[in-house]
């Protein structure tokens, strides 16, 4: 018998069985966002998922599916996932409680930080810019079930996302109140807000505020089903 025929008769070893667990199925998520969704504060590129409201996380996954948020690896990862699976992923990360790690901050002037503090706490009424606190909560830790926290996020991530909304390269269901607000911010405003938020001391309680504890000043499509937004 030819040597190649003899070798073809040797059975190949069975492929190892992959465990069907949620941790295994979200390996594509944790490879970038961390085992518990803690993010990558060192790079400032992959945001924290842990502890964010589940409704917000579901919406972001849906926005990637629907082309409203643009990032090819995320769009590919969630393309074929059904709504129940998206909810399962979101619920998992929303319940994770892991310590926050601070990210590098840029060197900005005291005047820039003062401007950031103003926009976050009181906004700029003359330009129709509401305070961040009006939607994201008095401690900026978010509001259940759909509004994310802002404190603890890296400067680079905050700046990039505000810039994406301002240029309409990131969006969500209409009316898109974040695009409306970001469109009224200047580039220096975005730097100021991102720097102030990234450097803010973290509150003792980082949990999102209860549902209904804020009344957003703008009508937001993502909140329409929860009786929020005016």
């Amino acid at each position: 018998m030819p040597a190649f025929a003899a070798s073809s008769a040797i059975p190949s070893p069975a492929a190892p069985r992959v465990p069907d667990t949620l941790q295994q199925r979200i390996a594509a998520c944790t490879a970038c966002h961390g085992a518990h969704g803690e993010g990558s504060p060192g790079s400032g590129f992959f945001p924290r998922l842990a502890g964010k409201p589940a409704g917000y996380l579901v919406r972001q996954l849906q926005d990637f599916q629907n082309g409203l948020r643009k990032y090819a690896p995320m769009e590919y990862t969630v393309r074929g996932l059904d709504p129940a699976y998206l909810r399962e992923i979101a619920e998992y990360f929303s319940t994770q409680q892991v310590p926050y790690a601070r990210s590098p901050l840029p060197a900005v002037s005291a005047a820039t930080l003062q401007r950031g503090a103003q926009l976050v706490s009181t906004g700029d009424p003359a330009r129709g810019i509401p305070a961040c606190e009006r939607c994201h909560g008095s401690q900026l830790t978010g509001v259940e079930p759909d509004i994310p926290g802002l404190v603890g996020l890296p400067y680079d991530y905050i700046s990039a996302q505000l810039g994406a909304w301002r240029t309409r390269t990131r969006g969500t269901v209409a009316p898109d109140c974040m695009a409306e607000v970001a469109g009224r911010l200047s580039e220096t405003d975005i730097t100021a807000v991102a720097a102030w938020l990234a450097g803010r001391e973290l509150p003792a309680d980082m949990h999102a505020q209860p549902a209904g504890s804020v009344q957003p000043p703008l009508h937001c499509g993502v909140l329409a089903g929860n009786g929020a937004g005016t």
Side-chain angles (χ1 to χ4, degrees):
M1 180 181 294
F4 72 86
S7 62
S8 65
I10 301 174
S12 59
R17 182 177 180 275
V18 177
D20 184 16
T21 64
L22 180 61
Q23 284 69 28
Q24 179 63 40
R25 286 183 274 127
I26 63 172
C29 308
T30 57
C32 295
H33 293 277
H36 300 281
E38 62 270 25
S40 60
S43 71
F45 190 67
F46 299 108
R48 179 186 177 95
L49 306 179
K52 281 190 165 58
Y56 169 76
L57 294 177
V58 168
R59 171 57 60 190
Q60 300 319 298
L61 295 172
Q62 291 172 335
D63 285 350
F64 279 118
Q65 278 188 329
N66 297 329
L68 295 171
R69 286 194 71 171
K70 305 290 186 183
Y71 182 57
M74 279 298 305
E75 294 173 71
Y76 175 81
T77 298
V78 302
R79 184 176 300 154
L81 304 184
D82 62 46
Y85 194 5
L86 296 183
R87 171 62 62 174
E88 186 178 11
I89 293 171
E91 293 286 355
Y92 170 79
F93 285 114
S94 72
T95 60
Q96 299 303 298
Q97 300 296 325
V98 291
Y100 281 74
R102 303 313 296 261
S103 303
L105 293 173
V108 297
S109 67
T112 296
L113 290 176
Q114 184 178 10
R115 175 61 173 167
Q118 175 198 345
L119 290 169
V120 169
S121 60
T122 62
D124 189 339
R127 291 167 55 197
I129 301 172
C132 302
E133 293 179 2
R134 292 284 304 277
C135 291
H136 294 272
S138 60
Q139 297 299 305
L140 302 165
T141 56
V143 181
E144 293 287 353
D146 296 309
I147 302 176
L150 302 179
V151 288
L153 287 173
Y155 167 85
D156 288 340
Y157 181 77
I158 299 172
S159 178
Q161 297 311 304
L162 288 174
W165 260 306
R166 183 172 179 264
T167 57
R168 301 284 177 158
T169 53
R170 174 179 175 175
T172 190
V173 294
D176 188 347
C177 54
M178 270 305 306
E180 185 175 348
V181 172
R184 299 170 186 171
L185 297 173
S186 67
E187 292 182 8
T188 55
D189 287 337
I190 288 175
T191 296
V193 169
W196 192 87
L197 287 171
R200 185 187 186 279
E201 288 299 318
L202 302 180
D205 184 359
M206 290 293 290
H207 291 89
Q209 291 181 203
S213 59
V214 302
Q215 185 65 31
L218 299 173
H219 183 59
C220 302
V222 294
L223 306 179
N226 300 306
T230 57

